[in-house]
Amino acid sequence: MSATAAENFADRPVALVTGAGSGIGRAVSLDLVRTHRIAVVDRDAAAAAAVVAAAGGVGHAEAYAVDVTEEESLQDAVRRVLQTFGRLDAVAACAGIASGGTVETTTLGDWHRTLAVNLTGVFLTARVTVPHLRATRGSFTAIASDAGTTGAMDMAAYTASKHAVLGLVRGMALDFGRDGVRSNVVCPGFVETPMARGIFADAPEGTEEFYRELIPLGRFAEAEDVAAVVRHLVESRYTNGHAYAIDGGSTAGYYRNPAAPFVAATGGSHGEH
Ligand SMILES: NC(=O)c1ccc[n+]([C@@H]2O[C@H](COP(=O)([O-])OP(=O)(O)OC[C@H]3O[C@@H](n4cnc5c(N)ncnc54)[C@H](O)[C@@H]3O)[C@@H](O)[C@H]2O)c1
């Protein structure tokens, strides 16, 4: 970006987004860049650069190639963010990986890798950014999952990592609330991103339709739906320690599609009670 263009956006607050090269993090970055200057953080340098290019003209974004499991490179990136932008007002920790398997079939390597990215990555992101959020009375938002509030079959490591993110961020809400720093978690169901596409591509036929049938709204989320919730949490003034379900209603209770044959067969009567 040219010096003049950077100057045009110099009065905007600053947001750092991890996992910003794809899916939810990309959508969050491209949404927030309308009002914030954005540090686009991803281990995939080319993907981060592509998001910066897509944000061109709308606002000021810079790319940082960082693996969130490596504290020193995260720390170094935050140092450079502060040099470039001068402040940090909001963090959206979106970096994450999927992993399948029960406790019997998950290898110890997959377990460690999943927790390293999904849990330790959020911990380290918070650890290196909270001192700067304290200075601006800013906000920290992590993307967990509906697998952070309910069990998920055949996803032992992923489910454990996402439940732990809820605990971590709720604790942050208590630790840093008096400093004016708000900490919240977003819990999406399936979202149309490369991650979800990859899961369904590897799954038996009918899996995608099966999961769609469990959603009262009848569709998976778009990444932009999640970005709208992140924006709400960033802009909110009093939301702290909240786990925000954005799953089309699928964790609201047991759901069965009213059009499904089961309902027609049982009708309105369920015997004597
Ligand atoms: N897609 C879904 O259905 C869904 C549902 C619930 C929760 N989530 C969560 O949302 C978050 C984003 O998922 P997505 O669907 O956008 O996935 P995605 O695969 O499309 O994007 C994830 C991004 O994170 C980056 N990343 C992965 N490991 C990293 C690391 N160690 N350091 C830095 N960057 C790293 C990847 O390069 C990628 O750009 C994840 O935490 C995921 O668990 C996704």
Side-chain angles (χ1 to χ4, degrees), residues 155-207:
M155 297 188 86
Y158 186 82
T159 308
S161 71
K162 295 300 188 179
H163 271 70
V165 167
L166 261 75
L168 176 72
V169 176
R170 283 174 168 151
M172 287 175 60
L174 309 183
D175 288 335
F176 307 123
R178 278 288 200 277
D179 299 326
V181 177
R182 295 177 302 101
S183 305
N184 295 289
V185 191
V186 180
C187 299
F190 275 113
V191 186
E192 299 277 7
T193 69
M195 177 188 283
R197 288 282 127 230
I199 291 171
F200 291 135
D202 293 342
E205 209 184 314
T207 304

Short mmCIF file of all heavy atoms in Angstrom, two decimals, residues 155-207:
data_model
loop_
_atom_site.label_atom_id
_atom_site.label_comp_id
_atom_site.label_asym_id
_atom_site.label_seq_id
_atom_site.Cartn_x
_atom_site.Cartn_y
_atom_site.Cartn_z
N MET A 155 -14.30 -37.13 16.87
CA MET A 155 -13.46 -35.91 16.81
C MET A 155 -12.89 -35.65 18.21
O MET A 155 -13.04 -34.56 18.76
CB MET A 155 -14.28 -34.72 16.35
CG MET A 155 -14.83 -34.83 14.96
SD MET A 155 -15.59 -33.29 14.38
CE MET A 155 -14.19 -32.42 13.72
N ALA A 156 -12.27 -36.65 18.80
CA ALA A 156 -11.87 -36.57 20.21
C ALA A 156 -10.94 -35.38 20.48
O ALA A 156 -11.19 -34.57 21.38
CB ALA A 156 -11.19 -37.88 20.63
N ALA A 157 -9.87 -35.28 19.70
CA ALA A 157 -8.88 -34.22 19.96
C ALA A 157 -9.47 -32.86 19.66
O ALA A 157 -9.28 -31.89 20.41
CB ALA A 157 -7.63 -34.46 19.11
N TYR A 158 -10.21 -32.76 18.55
CA TYR A 158 -10.81 -31.48 18.16
C TYR A 158 -11.78 -31.00 19.23
O TYR A 158 -11.75 -29.84 19.65
CB TYR A 158 -11.52 -31.65 16.81
CG TYR A 158 -12.06 -30.37 16.22
CD1 TYR A 158 -11.23 -29.51 15.51
CD2 TYR A 158 -13.40 -30.02 16.35
CE1 TYR A 158 -11.72 -28.33 14.96
CE2 TYR A 158 -13.91 -28.84 15.80
CZ TYR A 158 -13.06 -28.01 15.10
OH TYR A 158 -13.55 -26.84 14.55
N THR A 159 -12.66 -31.92 19.68
CA THR A 159 -13.66 -31.56 20.69
C THR A 159 -13.00 -31.13 21.99
O THR A 159 -13.39 -30.13 22.61
CB THR A 159 -14.59 -32.77 20.94
OG1 THR A 159 -15.09 -33.21 19.69
CG2 THR A 159 -15.75 -32.40 21.84
N ALA A 160 -11.98 -31.86 22.40
CA ALA A 160 -11.26 -31.50 23.63
C ALA A 160 -10.62 -30.13 23.49
O ALA A 160 -10.68 -29.29 24.40
CB ALA A 160 -10.21 -32.56 23.94
N SER A 161 -10.02 -29.87 22.32
CA SER A 161 -9.34 -28.58 22.13
C SER A 161 -10.34 -27.43 22.17
O SER A 161 -10.06 -26.37 22.74
CB SER A 161 -8.57 -28.57 20.79
OG SER A 161 -9.43 -28.51 19.68
N LYS A 162 -11.52 -27.63 21.59
CA LYS A 162 -12.49 -26.53 21.52
C LYS A 162 -13.17 -26.30 22.87
O LYS A 162 -13.43 -25.16 23.25
CB LYS A 162 -13.52 -26.81 20.42
CG LYS A 162 -12.92 -26.83 19.01
CD LYS A 162 -12.26 -25.50 18.65
CE LYS A 162 -11.83 -25.43 17.21
NZ LYS A 162 -11.22 -24.14 16.84
N HIS A 163 -13.45 -27.38 23.62
CA HIS A 163 -13.96 -27.18 24.99
C HIS A 163 -12.94 -26.39 25.81
O HIS A 163 -13.31 -25.50 26.59
CB HIS A 163 -14.21 -28.53 25.67
CG HIS A 163 -15.58 -29.08 25.44
ND1 HIS A 163 -16.01 -29.55 24.21
CD2 HIS A 163 -16.63 -29.27 26.28
CE1 HIS A 163 -17.26 -29.98 24.31
NE2 HIS A 163 -17.66 -29.81 25.56
N ALA A 164 -11.68 -26.70 25.63
CA ALA A 164 -10.64 -26.02 26.40
C ALA A 164 -10.55 -24.54 26.04
O ALA A 164 -10.27 -23.69 26.89
CB ALA A 164 -9.29 -26.71 26.18
N VAL A 165 -10.79 -24.22 24.77
CA VAL A 165 -10.76 -22.80 24.36
C VAL A 165 -11.84 -22.02 25.11
O VAL A 165 -11.61 -20.88 25.55
CB VAL A 165 -10.93 -22.66 22.82
CG1 VAL A 165 -11.22 -21.22 22.43
CG2 VAL A 165 -9.69 -23.17 22.11
N LEU A 166 -13.01 -22.64 25.30
CA LEU A 166 -14.06 -21.94 26.06
C LEU A 166 -13.59 -21.64 27.48
O LEU A 166 -13.78 -20.53 27.99
CB LEU A 166 -15.35 -22.78 26.10
CG LEU A 166 -16.41 -22.34 25.07
CD1 LEU A 166 -16.02 -22.79 23.68
CD2 LEU A 166 -17.78 -22.87 25.43
N GLY A 167 -12.98 -22.64 28.11
CA GLY A 167 -12.50 -22.42 29.47
C GLY A 167 -11.42 -21.35 29.53
O GLY A 167 -11.43 -20.48 30.42
N LEU A 168 -10.51 -21.41 28.57
CA LEU A 168 -9.41 -20.44 28.53
C LEU A 168 -9.96 -19.01 28.41
O LEU A 168 -9.56 -18.10 29.16
CB LEU A 168 -8.51 -20.77 27.33
CG LEU A 168 -7.36 -19.81 27.04
CD1 LEU A 168 -6.27 -19.97 28.10
CD2 LEU A 168 -6.78 -20.05 25.65
N VAL A 169 -10.87 -18.82 27.47
CA VAL A 169 -11.35 -17.45 27.19
C VAL A 169 -12.28 -16.95 28.29
O VAL A 169 -12.27 -15.77 28.64
CB VAL A 169 -11.99 -17.39 25.78
CG1 VAL A 169 -12.57 -16.01 25.52
CG2 VAL A 169 -10.96 -17.75 24.72
N ARG A 170 -13.07 -17.86 28.87
CA ARG A 170 -13.91 -17.42 30.00
C ARG A 170 -13.02 -16.96 31.16
O ARG A 170 -13.32 -15.97 31.84
CB ARG A 170 -14.83 -18.56 30.44
CG ARG A 170 -16.01 -18.73 29.50
CD ARG A 170 -16.82 -19.95 29.87
NE ARG A 170 -18.10 -19.98 29.18
CZ ARG A 170 -18.75 -21.09 28.87
NH1 ARG A 170 -18.25 -22.27 29.19
NH2 ARG A 170 -19.90 -21.04 28.25
N GLY A 171 -11.93 -17.67 31.38
CA GLY A 171 -10.99 -17.24 32.43
C GLY A 171 -10.39 -15.88 32.11
O GLY A 171 -10.24 -15.03 33.00
N MET A 172 -10.07 -15.65 30.83
CA MET A 172 -9.53 -14.35 30.43
C MET A 172 -10.53 -13.23 30.72
O MET A 172 -10.15 -12.12 31.12
CB MET A 172 -9.21 -14.35 28.92
CG MET A 172 -7.99 -15.17 28.55
SD MET A 172 -7.79 -15.25 26.74
CE MET A 172 -7.60 -13.51 26.33
N ALA A 173 -11.83 -13.54 30.51
CA ALA A 173 -12.87 -12.53 30.76
C ALA A 173 -12.80 -12.06 32.21
O ALA A 173 -13.00 -10.88 32.51
CB ALA A 173 -14.24 -13.10 30.44
N LEU A 174 -12.49 -13.00 33.12
CA LEU A 174 -12.40 -12.66 34.54
C LEU A 174 -11.07 -11.96 34.84
O LEU A 174 -11.02 -10.99 35.59
CB LEU A 174 -12.51 -13.93 35.39
CG LEU A 174 -13.70 -14.86 35.09
CD1 LEU A 174 -13.71 -16.02 36.07
CD2 LEU A 174 -15.03 -14.11 35.15
N ASP A 175 -10.01 -12.48 34.24
CA ASP A 175 -8.67 -11.94 34.54
C ASP A 175 -8.49 -10.50 34.06
O ASP A 175 -7.79 -9.71 34.68
CB ASP A 175 -7.59 -12.82 33.88
CG ASP A 175 -7.44 -14.17 34.57
OD1 ASP A 175 -7.79 -14.26 35.76
OD2 ASP A 175 -6.98 -15.13 33.91
N PHE A 176 -9.10 -10.18 32.91
CA PHE A 176 -8.79 -8.89 32.28
C PHE A 176 -9.98 -7.93 32.20
O PHE A 176 -9.85 -6.84 31.64
CB PHE A 176 -8.18 -9.12 30.89
CG PHE A 176 -7.00 -10.07 30.92
CD1 PHE A 176 -7.00 -11.24 30.17
CD2 PHE A 176 -5.92 -9.81 31.75
CE1 PHE A 176 -5.93 -12.12 30.23
CE2 PHE A 176 -4.84 -10.69 31.83
CZ PHE A 176 -4.85 -11.85 31.06
N GLY A 177 -11.12 -8.36 32.75
CA GLY A 177 -12.30 -7.50 32.71
C GLY A 177 -12.06 -6.15 33.37
O GLY A 177 -12.45 -5.10 32.84
N ARG A 178 -11.39 -6.16 34.53
CA ARG A 178 -11.13 -4.91 35.24
C ARG A 178 -10.22 -3.96 34.45
O ARG A 178 -10.19 -2.77 34.70
CB ARG A 178 -10.47 -5.18 36.60
CG ARG A 178 -11.44 -5.57 37.69
CD ARG A 178 -12.28 -4.37 38.17
NE ARG A 178 -12.86 -4.60 39.48
CZ ARG A 178 -13.98 -5.27 39.71
NH1 ARG A 178 -14.67 -5.78 38.71
NH2 ARG A 178 -14.42 -5.44 40.95
N ASP A 179 -9.47 -4.55 33.49
CA ASP A 179 -8.61 -3.71 32.63
C ASP A 179 -9.39 -3.17 31.43
O ASP A 179 -8.82 -2.50 30.57
CB ASP A 179 -7.42 -4.52 32.10
CG ASP A 179 -6.56 -5.05 33.23
OD1 ASP A 179 -6.43 -4.36 34.26
OD2 ASP A 179 -6.01 -6.17 33.07
N GLY A 180 -10.67 -3.56 31.36
CA GLY A 180 -11.48 -3.10 30.23
C GLY A 180 -11.32 -3.95 28.99
O GLY A 180 -11.83 -3.63 27.92
N VAL A 181 -10.59 -5.08 29.12
CA VAL A 181 -10.41 -5.97 27.97
C VAL A 181 -11.52 -7.02 28.00
O VAL A 181 -11.67 -7.73 28.98
CB VAL A 181 -9.03 -6.67 28.02
CG1 VAL A 181 -8.90 -7.67 26.86
CG2 VAL A 181 -7.91 -5.64 27.99
N ARG A 182 -12.29 -7.10 26.91
CA ARG A 182 -13.37 -8.09 26.82
C ARG A 182 -12.90 -9.31 26.05
O ARG A 182 -12.21 -9.19 25.03
CB ARG A 182 -14.58 -7.47 26.13
CG ARG A 182 -15.22 -6.32 26.91
CD ARG A 182 -16.37 -5.68 26.16
NE ARG A 182 -15.96 -5.17 24.85
CZ ARG A 182 -16.17 -5.78 23.71
NH1 ARG A 182 -16.83 -6.92 23.65
NH2 ARG A 182 -15.76 -5.25 22.58
N SER A 183 -13.27 -10.50 26.54
CA SER A 183 -12.85 -11.76 25.91
C SER A 183 -14.09 -12.62 25.66
O SER A 183 -14.86 -12.88 26.59
CB SER A 183 -11.89 -12.52 26.83
OG SER A 183 -10.79 -11.69 27.17
N ASN A 184 -14.27 -13.05 24.43
CA ASN A 184 -15.45 -13.84 24.06
C ASN A 184 -15.08 -14.95 23.09
O ASN A 184 -14.01 -14.92 22.45
CB ASN A 184 -16.49 -12.91 23.41
CG ASN A 184 -17.03 -11.88 24.38
OD1 ASN A 184 -17.78 -12.20 25.30
ND2 ASN A 184 -16.62 -10.63 24.21
N VAL A 185 -15.99 -15.91 22.96
CA VAL A 185 -15.77 -17.06 22.08
C VAL A 185 -16.95 -17.19 21.12
O VAL A 185 -18.10 -16.99 21.52
CB VAL A 185 -15.70 -18.38 22.88
CG1 VAL A 185 -15.20 -19.52 21.99
CG2 VAL A 185 -14.83 -18.24 24.08
N VAL A 186 -16.66 -17.56 19.90
CA VAL A 186 -17.71 -17.83 18.92
C VAL A 186 -17.73 -19.34 18.65
O VAL A 186 -16.68 -19.95 18.47
CB VAL A 186 -17.44 -17.06 17.60
CG1 VAL A 186 -18.54 -17.35 16.59
CG2 VAL A 186 -17.33 -15.57 17.87
N CYS A 187 -18.93 -19.91 18.66
CA CYS A 187 -19.07 -21.37 18.50
C CYS A 187 -19.90 -21.69 17.26
O CYS A 187 -21.13 -21.89 17.35
CB CYS A 187 -19.73 -21.96 19.74
SG CYS A 187 -18.79 -21.69 21.25
N PRO A 188 -19.25 -21.76 16.09
CA PRO A 188 -20.01 -22.06 14.88
C PRO A 188 -20.28 -23.56 14.74
O PRO A 188 -19.49 -24.39 15.19
CB PRO A 188 -19.07 -21.61 13.74
CG PRO A 188 -17.88 -20.98 14.39
CD PRO A 188 -17.84 -21.48 15.80
N GLY A 189 -21.40 -23.88 14.07
CA GLY A 189 -21.58 -25.23 13.53
C GLY A 189 -20.81 -25.29 12.21
O GLY A 189 -19.90 -24.47 11.98
N PHE A 190 -21.16 -26.21 11.33
CA PHE A 190 -20.43 -26.28 10.06
C PHE A 190 -20.53 -24.96 9.29
O PHE A 190 -21.62 -24.36 9.22
CB PHE A 190 -20.97 -27.41 9.17
CG PHE A 190 -20.36 -28.75 9.49
CD1 PHE A 190 -21.12 -29.76 10.04
CD2 PHE A 190 -19.01 -28.98 9.24
CE1 PHE A 190 -20.55 -31.00 10.34
CE2 PHE A 190 -18.43 -30.21 9.54
CZ PHE A 190 -19.20 -31.23 10.09
N VAL A 191 -19.39 -24.53 8.77
CA VAL A 191 -19.31 -23.29 7.99
C VAL A 191 -18.72 -23.64 6.63
O VAL A 191 -17.78 -24.45 6.55
CB VAL A 191 -18.39 -22.26 8.70
CG1 VAL A 191 -18.42 -20.92 7.96
CG2 VAL A 191 -18.78 -22.09 10.15
N GLU A 192 -19.27 -23.03 5.59
CA GLU A 192 -18.80 -23.33 4.22
C GLU A 192 -17.40 -22.76 4.01
O GLU A 192 -17.23 -21.62 3.59
CB GLU A 192 -19.75 -22.69 3.18
CG GLU A 192 -21.16 -23.20 3.22
CD GLU A 192 -21.33 -24.50 2.43
OE1 GLU A 192 -20.31 -25.08 1.97
OE2 GLU A 192 -22.48 -24.95 2.29
N THR A 193 -16.39 -23.52 4.37
CA THR A 193 -14.99 -23.09 4.20
C THR A 193 -14.19 -24.28 3.67
O THR A 193 -14.68 -25.42 3.69
CB THR A 193 -14.35 -22.70 5.55
OG1 THR A 193 -14.21 -23.89 6.34
CG2 THR A 193 -15.18 -21.67 6.31
N PRO A 194 -12.95 -24.06 3.28
CA PRO A 194 -12.10 -25.18 2.85
C PRO A 194 -12.01 -26.28 3.92
O PRO A 194 -11.94 -27.46 3.58
CB PRO A 194 -10.75 -24.52 2.59
CG PRO A 194 -11.10 -23.12 2.16
CD PRO A 194 -12.30 -22.75 3.01
N MET A 195 -12.03 -25.90 5.22
CA MET A 195 -11.97 -26.92 6.27
C MET A 195 -13.17 -27.86 6.19
O MET A 195 -13.02 -29.09 6.15
CB MET A 195 -11.91 -26.29 7.66
CG MET A 195 -11.91 -27.32 8.78
SD MET A 195 -12.06 -26.63 10.43
CE MET A 195 -10.40 -26.03 10.71
N ALA A 196 -14.37 -27.29 6.14
CA ALA A 196 -15.58 -28.12 6.10
C ALA A 196 -15.65 -28.90 4.79
O ALA A 196 -16.03 -30.08 4.77
CB ALA A 196 -16.82 -27.24 6.27
N ARG A 197 -15.26 -28.24 3.70
CA ARG A 197 -15.28 -28.93 2.40
C ARG A 197 -14.37 -30.16 2.45
O ARG A 197 -14.69 -31.21 1.92
CB ARG A 197 -14.79 -27.99 1.29
CG ARG A 197 -15.75 -26.91 0.93
CD ARG A 197 -16.89 -27.41 0.02
NE ARG A 197 -18.17 -27.06 0.60
CZ ARG A 197 -19.19 -27.90 0.80
NH1 ARG A 197 -19.12 -29.15 0.42
NH2 ARG A 197 -20.31 -27.51 1.34
N GLY A 198 -13.21 -30.00 3.11
CA GLY A 198 -12.26 -31.11 3.23
C GLY A 198 -12.85 -32.26 4.04
O GLY A 198 -12.68 -33.43 3.68
N ILE A 199 -13.55 -31.93 5.12
CA ILE A 199 -14.15 -32.97 5.97
C ILE A 199 -15.18 -33.75 5.16
O ILE A 199 -15.19 -34.98 5.16
CB ILE A 199 -14.81 -32.32 7.22
CG1 ILE A 199 -13.74 -31.76 8.15
CG2 ILE A 199 -15.69 -33.33 7.95
CD1 ILE A 199 -14.29 -30.91 9.30
N PHE A 200 -16.04 -33.04 4.43
CA PHE A 200 -17.09 -33.72 3.68
C PHE A 200 -16.52 -34.50 2.49
O PHE A 200 -17.04 -35.55 2.12
CB PHE A 200 -18.16 -32.73 3.23
CG PHE A 200 -18.98 -32.18 4.37
CD1 PHE A 200 -19.28 -30.83 4.47
CD2 PHE A 200 -19.45 -33.04 5.37
CE1 PHE A 200 -20.02 -30.34 5.54
CE2 PHE A 200 -20.20 -32.56 6.44
CZ PHE A 200 -20.48 -31.20 6.52
N ALA A 201 -15.44 -33.97 1.90
CA ALA A 201 -14.84 -34.67 0.76
C ALA A 201 -14.30 -36.04 1.18
O ALA A 201 -14.33 -36.99 0.41
CB ALA A 201 -13.72 -33.81 0.16
N ASP A 202 -13.82 -36.14 2.44
CA ASP A 202 -13.24 -37.40 2.92
C ASP A 202 -14.28 -38.33 3.53
O ASP A 202 -13.98 -39.48 3.87
CB ASP A 202 -12.18 -37.11 4.00
CG ASP A 202 -10.97 -36.40 3.41
OD1 ASP A 202 -10.83 -36.45 2.17
OD2 ASP A 202 -10.19 -35.80 4.17
N ALA A 203 -15.51 -37.81 3.74
CA ALA A 203 -16.52 -38.59 4.47
C ALA A 203 -17.35 -39.44 3.51
O ALA A 203 -17.41 -39.16 2.31
CB ALA A 203 -17.43 -37.63 5.24
N PRO A 204 -18.02 -40.48 4.03
CA PRO A 204 -18.90 -41.29 3.17
C PRO A 204 -20.01 -40.45 2.55
O PRO A 204 -20.42 -39.44 3.13
CB PRO A 204 -19.49 -42.32 4.15
CG PRO A 204 -18.61 -42.30 5.35
CD PRO A 204 -17.98 -40.95 5.41
N GLU A 205 -20.50 -40.90 1.40
CA GLU A 205 -21.57 -40.19 0.72
C GLU A 205 -22.78 -40.01 1.65
O GLU A 205 -23.10 -40.93 2.43
CB GLU A 205 -22.00 -40.99 -0.52
CG GLU A 205 -22.51 -40.10 -1.63
CD GLU A 205 -23.01 -40.95 -2.79
OE1 GLU A 205 -22.29 -41.88 -3.19
OE2 GLU A 205 -24.13 -40.66 -3.25
N GLY A 206 -23.40 -38.87 1.60
CA GLY A 206 -24.58 -38.63 2.43
C GLY A 206 -24.27 -37.93 3.74
O GLY A 206 -25.18 -37.45 4.42
N THR A 207 -22.99 -37.84 4.11
CA THR A 207 -22.62 -37.24 5.39
C THR A 207 -23.01 -35.77 5.43
O THR A 207 -23.61 -35.30 6.40
CB THR A 207 -21.10 -37.36 5.63
OG1 THR A 207 -20.73 -38.73 5.53
CG2 THR A 207 -20.70 -36.81 6.98
#
